[in-house]
Amino acid sequence: LASTARPGRFLPGDPRVEEPYRLTPQLAFRVALLAFLALAVFAVLFLRLWALQVLSGDKYLAVANDNRVRTLRIEAPRGPVLDRYGNVLVENAPGTRVELWPADLPKTWPAQRSELKALSDVTGVPLREILDQLNKHALDPLTPIVVQRGLRQDQILYLHEHDAQFPGVRLAHSWLRKYPYQSLGAQVLGYVGQITSGEYKTMKKKGYQPTDSIGQAGIESTYDTYLRGKDGKAQLTVDSRGIPKGATTLLSNPTPGQALRLTIDIGLQRAAERALVYGIQRAHDASYAHADGGAIVAMDPRDGAILAMASYPTYKPSIFVGHKDQKKLAPLLDPKVADQKNHPGINRAIDASYPPGSTFKPVTALAAMQEHLITPTQLLPCTPDYTAYKQVFNNWTNLFNQSIDLPTALAMSCDTYFYELGKRFYLLPPDRGHPLQGWANRFGLGQKTLIDVGPEVAGLIPTPEWRRAEYPKSQGYGIVDRTWKPGYSIQMSIGQGQILTTPLQMTRLYALIANGGKLVTPHIADDVEIAGSKNQPTRVLRRFGAQPPQPSGVDPTALRYVQQGLEEATHASFGTGVGVFGAFPVDIAGKTGSAEKLVKLPGFPNLSNQTQSWWCGYGPFNQPTIVVCALIENGGHGGTSAAPAALKVFEHYFGKNGQLTTHISD
Amino acid sequence: MTIEAVDRRARGLKTRRETEAVGLGAVLFRLDWVLLAALVATAGFGLWAIDGITMHDAGGSSMTRQALYVFAGGMVFVGALFIDPSTYRRLWRPTYFGTLALMVFVLAAGAATRGSKRWVDVGFFKFQPSEFGKVLFVLALAGILSERSRSITSTRTTLSALGYGVVPILLVFVQPDIGTALVYTSALGAVLLIAGVRWWHLGALAAATVVTALAILWVLPAAGVNVLKPYQAARLTGFTHPGNDPRGATYNLRQSITAVGAGGLRGRGVLGATQTRLNYLPEHATDFAFASLAEERGFFGASILLLLYLLIVWRALKIVTSARDMYTAIVAGGIAFMFMFQVFVNAAMTMGIAPITGIPLPFVSVGGSSMITNFLAIGILQAIYLRRPGRRRA
């Protein structure tokens, strides 16, 4: 309709109102443009729809199916650890663990944060720790994070009651390590903890999961594969808030871990740990105020079975279970606090090394006889001091002034006798090599014993070659530093200088003396078994047993003189250990050691020279069944603290009156 | 102000309007039956779809409520048929300023409760002014432009239309409702296009829009000025890298794409559609309804809906060409484009090819405001078509 004049109209039409409208080509073009756009837009939608639904439909179907299925882990109980008589050293207590399923958490950050904050308040796990874990597993939202194991009853009740406020949080049954003997054998047993990302990287191929618990130290770590068992699996369908829809279906039952039987005798272990405390007390009484640590190893000299391995200071492995109190863990995890607390986490029997002092003298004696530098009956002067190369070396006492044979030298622990041997070793022509060090190595010193718990240090038997390598020219060391001087050989003859051994190495050495010259391999695990019940006998699955002792090539006659010397040390009137062992009804043979060592005492800026108290020996003398080595750090003379401590172990083993306790025939 | 306002009767307009008044017979005879069929089919399909989509929700199926909205929408539709579109043109000022007033009210109420507020509660019914505003916005802008039709090619006209248009867009934007603001912007563009402003004006406006978007998303944040809240920016840009943030802003998107893809050719059915049923797909009754539909009914179901939409857009564009005057042509064009834009942005966002915005899917998403507005829009299209020039039997 146009705005042309109409009858009765007296004003022209208002063009703004009655604009004649025609479908101009321009407008048609613009409408066509819109139509074209519409077609393009819908084409895009159809193509995308086709691509998603038809071309990749299967892929997304799989994603959607994964989305709603939660694979639950049914924790397998970890295998118990038994001592040699079947006493349970480590077992499991049922507990509850809190899991966090990242996929089921609230989708908005504020809601997520407030939920995690609440969870942190309930469990006592710091919020930052939870967030750290979440971030670590951000790429895998369908694997739950274990926030905490071992919830208290009130925490469990709270989480159950406030279920709706904690989407993505699930409580599950868990097993917690339990230590009936508390701190006994702590460093040997080790503890269980969350697998670290570094461990996971190396263990991935063995089927470990990023959220697994794993033995972190001691035998828990070494025998983790036997102890851990196999977790079961169940499946559950959930909605997007993680709320289960329908019942849980079991896919596989958990397989409990196998029991591990140790060669340890927990009674003897207790005695050894008490003996350490006693030895330290003895040292304190004798005004060795800095005595604050030590180790005792008891071993069967015939096969290397460890009967007790004690290290002081110690800790309770239970602090790693359930709620972790950072204060209690600090001595183990925080280097600063560990320094103050004298490193309770270190197993001093294998993971610390000390100069052996006089306990090394049997090695010098044996090596000297083997190398024909002396005969056992040949007499050498025992004097207050010994001068060689314009240097004066003191004896440990100035009361001696006589000529003595080799067994007497061992019994009296006469230093000058051994200084002379040391000089003879030094004077050997170069083509003879370094036989003192060579024999020390053949007796297992200066190298790892390869015992089945770790970590272990090798110790050090210094040689001229080692010295040159240790003090390289490139670092500005001069000829004086790099040269092996006669004093080094002389000092090594009495186990001083830079020589370092571990208590276990020394135990192995004395086992060799006791068993007639064979080097045993120390071991702690006896077998893996399935624990028996009333009707079912215990079934041994795998016996680790002892590796056959290796002959060291030492001359039996030479060895007999050394044995004689060690026996005289505890029984002859001039013996250094007679005051401690002379009255003991069982014939014990052994050697004291008092080794000077520069140590860093806590609270003192400079190194100070402290005497390390040693005693190593075995019994009964004629048919040895036990070898004991005791070390008290900064404990003074061997007879002051280490020998009395070792006696305590023998007392437990043989009984106070020396009657063999029943279990020895075992 | 204008002569018609001084003496309308004198110009005989009233007489002409009366002769053009549409009777019931004319309605039945001149109606666009194809569009009506498409409307009925789409609304019916939407009801069926939403029944399946919401069946497992906490409150049960929303179909009954939605059917009520459809009924209300139908009434509005019929009512719209009998209103001459010229009425809207004459009333553009009250329409425009009334809409503005409502939006300001919504903002003020929102400020009082903090956070996003798009709703006005009138007791029995909570309605969303920005939804109704879509149609009112087109009606008002068309009125402004048709009033200036003589000088449509002048820069001044373009600028004043732009000025009128930008104010409601900003008001919606700060609600904050970016999606609806985008719909408004698209409508503004379509209205200017159909009204016939110069090409270079359109080009400049398009460029300005792009520059603004870039500035808001990229340049200003880099300079330390954040126009958008972080989650808004993340939602807008998240679709370009959906794998980036498994637990954050793109969670919805990933779940949505999974839902669409899992639907396959034939769909997983109401029971099998776990993404929807187990709530992995958030907002599946509203913003992500398309993904849910695609999961339950598959490529076939989603295609039927898309084809119905295409049919509506086609008929709407056809109505542009048969409109009686400039005003109605602009209105029809604005509605057609706005409708298409909504469908595209909503469906595309569920498939990861458009930013995530809170735009409802016409005739499917649960919500009364949207449903009634869409019925009103189609009703206005029909009203325009009824009054198309050409032979008619009264």
Side-chain angles (χ1 to χ4, degrees), chain B residues 12-32:
Chain B
L13 291 179
K14 190 161 186 282
T15 324
R16 194 169 68 81
R17 289 284 170 252
E18 275 162 2
T19 60
E20 284 180 11
V22 175
L24 191 63
V27 167
L28 288 178
F29 188 75
R30 293 178 64 88
L31 214 51
D32 184 344

Side-chain angles (χ1 to χ4, degrees), chain B residues 293-341:
Chain B
L293 169 77
E295 186 192 17
E296 291 188 345
R297 310 300 179 191
F299 184 72
F300 288 142
S303 296
I304 289 173
L305 183 66
L306 286 182
L307 286 174
L308 285 173
Y309 286 145
L310 186 57
L311 189 58
I312 291 176
V313 172
W314 170 52
R315 294 312 294 186
L317 287 176
K318 196 169 178 308
I319 288 172
V320 176
T321 61
S322 53
R324 173 186 64 191
D325 53 20
M326 179 136 190
Y327 175 74
T328 51
I330 297 173
V331 169
I335 288 176
F337 187 75
M338 188 169 68
F339 187 81
M340 182 190 79
F341 185 83

Side-chain angles (χ1 to χ4, degrees), chain B residues 20 36 86 103 146 152 162 168 172 185 192 208 230 319 325 344 348 359 380 383 390:
Chain B
E20 284 180 11
L36 183 64
S86 301
M103 285 172 177
S146 67
I152 198 71
L162 193 63
V172 176
T185 312
L192 288 174
I319 288 172
D325 53 20
F344 173 74
I359 299 178
I380 290 172

Side-chain angles (χ1 to χ4, degrees), chain A residues 155-296:
Chain A
Q155 294 171 321
I156 295 171
L157 276 177
Y158 184 90
L159 286 176
H160 270 308
E161 275 168 18
H162 299 79
D163 205 17
Q165 296 168 20
F166 292 101
V169 172
R170 195 167 289 142
L171 297 176
H173 188 266
S174 178
W175 296 101
L176 300 170
R177 275 320 219 184
K178 197 177 156 192
Y179 302 88
Y181 291 94
Q182 308 221 23
S183 68
L184 282 194
Q187 295 92 348
V188 171
L189 296 174
Y191 59 93
V192 179
Q194 193 91 16
I195 193 167
T196 64
S197 48
E199 284 166 339
Y200 174 62
K201 261 181 209 150
T202 54
M203 313 283 264
K204 201 157 42 177
K205 282 181 196 142
K206 292 184 198 161
Y208 283 77
Q209 300 293 314
T211 52
D212 271 352
S213 286
I214 180 173
Q216 289 287 4
I219 53 117
E220 291 273 22
S221 170
T222 312
Y223 295 101
D224 191 71
T225 43
Y226 300 100
L227 289 168
R228 63 183 300 100
K230 199 164 184 298
D231 288 343
K233 270 185 194 169
Q235 257 186 2
L236 184 63
T237 305
V238 297
D239 71 2
S240 67
R241 287 159 303 164
I243 294 169
K245 301 271 172 187
T248 310
T249 45
L250 185 73
L251 297 183
S252 64
N253 270 310
T255 315
Q258 295 155 6
L260 181 72
R261 188 183 286 261
L262 304 182
T263 59
I264 298 273
D265 169 357
I266 195 66
L268 196 68
Q269 176 76 24
R270 186 192 286 114
E273 296 198 11
R274 285 183 182 166
L276 272 178
V277 178
Y278 171 72
I280 290 167
Q281 188 54 49
R282 287 280 303 232
H284 289 170
D285 291 349
S287 69
Y288 289 100
H290 299 301
D292 52 3
I296 288 182

Side-chain angles (χ1 to χ4, degrees), chain B residues 174-257:
Chain B
V174 297
Q175 269 184 5
D177 186 350
I178 298 173
T180 309
L182 284 176
V183 174
Y184 278 46
T185 312
S186 76
L188 175 61
V191 164
L192 288 174
L193 179 79
I194 299 296
V197 301
R198 283 165 179 269
W199 280 111
W200 77 264
H201 288 168
L202 287 173
L205 283 180
T209 310
V210 170
V211 167
T212 311
L214 280 180
I216 289 174
L217 286 175
W218 185 51
V219 180
L220 287 177
V225 183
N226 283 306
V227 182
L228 298 177
K229 295 184 176 67
Y231 81 89
Q232 293 178 316
R235 281 179 63 176
L236 286 177
T237 57
F239 78 99
T240 56
H241 43 78
N244 231 15
D245 179 14
R247 289 189 297 120
T250 57
Y251 171 85
N252 294 3
L253 179 57
R254 286 200 322 147
Q255 297 296 356
S256 173
I257 292 177

Side-chain angles (χ1 to χ4, degrees), chain A residues 385-394 423 426 485-487 490:
Chain A
D385 52 50
Y386 175 83
T387 308
Y389 302 94
K390 297 175 204 163
Q391 244 186 307
V392 178
F393 299 88
N394 286 319
K423 191 176 91 176
Y426 177 76
K485 292 183 267 300
I490 292 169

Side-chain angles (χ1 to χ4, degrees), chain A residues 475-492:
Chain A
Q475 284 178 27
Y477 289 104
I479 187 80
V480 179
D481 294 312
R482 291 163 53 80
T483 310
W484 185 267
K485 292 183 267 300
Y488 300 155
S489 289
I490 292 169
Q491 287 213 319
M492 187 190 272

